[in-house]
Amino acid sequence: MEGAATPLSFPPEVFARLEPDIYLQRHLELGLRPSGLRAFDEFRKATIQASEPLPGTLGSAVISVGGTTVVCGITGGITEQKGKHGVYPNVEVIRGTRNGPPTQEEMVISQRAFQLLNNTDYIDPVNFVIPGAEKTKWLVLSASVQVLSRTGPCFDAVWTAIITALKNTRIPQMEVDPDTKQVVSDLSTVSPLKLSDESASLDQFSSTFAIGEVQKDQKTVVIADIEGETEEACLNSRINVVTSPSGLLTGLTIAVTSSNATGINKGIQVSREHIQTVLASARKRASELATAPVS
Amino acid sequence: MSVLQDRRRVLPPVDTIPLQFKEDEGSSGSKETTIARTRTIRPIFIKQSVVANASGSAYLEVEDIKLQCSVYGPKPIRGSFTQQADLLVEAKLPSLGQDASNDKSASIEKDITSFVQTSITPGIILTQYPKSCINIMITVISADLENRNFKSLLAAATNVASLALVDAGIALYDIVTSASVLLSRNENGESLYFDPETPRESEDIEGVLSFMTGQDESNIVGMWLDGENITSKNLTTLTESAKEAACQIRTLFNGVILQEFHDKEQEASNSK
């Protein structure tokens, strides 16, 4: 035919950037994921390093999940403000921008971690009391988290890093110096964080799932542990579960955005089965992480 | 007294003072064990391409010093045309619960930034990248700033930045390598140490020098000396020995870069 346009052809990585939605759909239709050869319900392998605390910290952890690397260091401080004791997580994502205000992502992750840590009473308040200054001084712990390499949404890895670092944190013995009235800590006698009762455990792990649609078959799929630009950009409906291996929930958020993949925009169909699958899968992931070897 | 709390970050209350630790008798003993090596450098662990969301990156570890460097760019910049690339170096110390505006760590970050920037700028062919910027971000994952030699940290920071630039595929005149040296002076005479662990004592001279050792004349591209009464003879000794140490590091880097290149090539041919 005269004047017929020759079809344009792009290599996959260019096409993924130009038309991420179509790129994602073409994968999902075949039962594949853009981020690689993982099944929809498969998580990436996590490696946990927490043998010896980094210098200057009371406890630390390095977590790598796929290409994401997170470091968390716990340090201590003394405050004189009543009721302000506790654990303060501050998350930084290294992105190569100038020192400036934290990004939206950093603020969201930090706040979420702070809420989760302080909503649960697993950490006994007695940890933060200083002998000899019970009514005037309290211990605060800062968890400073750096995401050194980021390949997608990173709350799960950040949370695992905070939890693992807290599990390995050793609180030094503290006493008030009678002369200076300052709190002096002794690193030769240390104890782990005390938990509020025997059933309490810090083994609470976070798993994030995305809800996607396969346009062609008009069905909803649940995709675990999303990674990469395409998955992050196109899968905006997420379910986040924070659970213990036994299935005790400490956090659950479901955020469903309107569907545009179907073109008819009638909303994403999330059924009871989907949520049950997600909860079971999160529980399985939590027990995997709880028993993962720590090097 | 009311101090404004940074509400965008989750930080402890503003009045928080870091824990103070009892002086440990054991720690003073570590000074003795230091300088057993003389004209050798400590073993270095290096790895390139460690960061997924950067153009290039490298990780370097020398005993307690753990550094990561990521290079972002060359990226286009907004605004008017520039003849050559803007190079921005930034260093980040572990914040460890301190406010980001902490004076002491801010000044250390500035020292690292300025030394690395001075050292590596001559190595990069900036004119190949008009109207663009290259960001270099050095993250100090761990380092003992109190009891260890700061010059050795500076050398490590320069070296990791060089490796990350190579990994990012940025056009270079030469790979800059940096070495720290310490000239110890006491009643027993002078002795020289490569890659010192401990800071200098009163009479000593310490320094860190960066070289482009691939050039015929081994140009010095960065230098920072600390010490009193530096004679021209001392200076010659220091520069000559730093050059020797920098060459040792360069030899090591050449091996690693060739190996990583070889691995990448292999990977590429396998995937075809």
Side-chain angles (χ1 to χ4, degrees), chain B residues 80-128:
Chain B
S80 55
F81 181 81
T82 53
Q83 290 285 339
Q84 57 174 45
D86 283 339
L87 185 69
L88 181 87
V89 181
E90 223 175 293
K92 217 176 184 71
L93 291 178
S95 56
L96 299 182
Q98 309 292 312
D99 203 319
S101 61
N102 184 314
D103 288 345
K104 198 175 161 207
S105 62
S107 87
I108 294 172
E109 282 172 357
K110 222 171 142 191
D111 285 344
I112 300 175
T113 305
S114 66
F115 185 78
V116 174
Q117 176 127 22
T118 313
S119 295
I120 60 173
T121 309
I124 305 171
I125 311 177
L126 289 172
T127 45
Q128 269 206 11

Side-chain angles (χ1 to χ4, degrees), chain B residues 129-187:
Chain B
Y129 307 104
K131 203 175 189 295
S132 18
C133 69
I134 300 169
N135 289 2
I136 298 175
M137 183 98 186
I138 300 165
T139 317
V140 180
I141 299 168
S142 100
D144 189 344
L145 298 163
E146 308 272 312
N147 311 312
R148 292 302 185 108
N149 193 301
F150 182 58
K151 300 289 185 294
S152 295
L153 177 64
L154 287 176
T158 312
N159 291 335
V160 76
S162 284
L163 282 172
L165 282 169
V166 173
D167 189 44
I170 288 181
L172 302 174
Y173 290 109
D174 192 12
I175 302 166
V176 174
T177 49
S178 189
S180 55
V181 281
L182 187 139
L183 185 69
S184 141
R185 295 189 290 193
N186 51 30
E187 58 271 24

Side-chain angles (χ1 to χ4, degrees), chain A residues 54-57 75-81 84 88-90 92 94-102 107 110-111 114 139-140 142 144 146 148-151 172 174-175 182-187, chain B residues 6-22 24 50-53 64 66 68 70 72 75 88 90-98 109 135 137 139-144:
Chain A
L54 291 169
T57 66
T75 47
I78 303 293
T79 182
E80 293 185 355
Q81 290 184 41
K84 293 284 190 175
Y88 292 83
N90 191 42
E92 278 177 283
I94 309 287
R95 278 178 183 274
T97 45
R98 280 165 199 271
N99 274 328
M107 289 191 274
S110 303
Q111 275 301 334
F114 182 66
L139 174 71
V140 288
S142 307
S144 110
Q146 287 187 312
L148 296 175
S149 168
R150 183 187 182 280
T151 49
M174 290 171 289
E175 58 190 27
Q182 295 289 319
V183 177
V184 185
S185 359
D186 183 3
L187 274 176
Chain B
D6 183 354
R7 294 176 62 104
R8 296 168 303 191
R9 296 182 171 90
V10 181
L11 296 171
V14 275
D15 68 330
T16 304
I17 43 169
L19 284 186
Q20 289 168 3
F21 297 105
K22 263 189 198 161
D24 205 1
V50 286
V51 178
N53 55 327
D64 67 312
K66 294 186 177 71
Q68 180 185 284
S70 344
Y72 301 84
K75 290 186 284 198
L88 181 87
E90 223 175 293
K92 217 176 184 71
L93 291 178
S95 56
L96 299 182
Q98 309 292 312
E109 282 172 357
N135 289 2
M137 183 98 186
T139 317
V140 180
I141 299 168
S142 100
D144 189 344

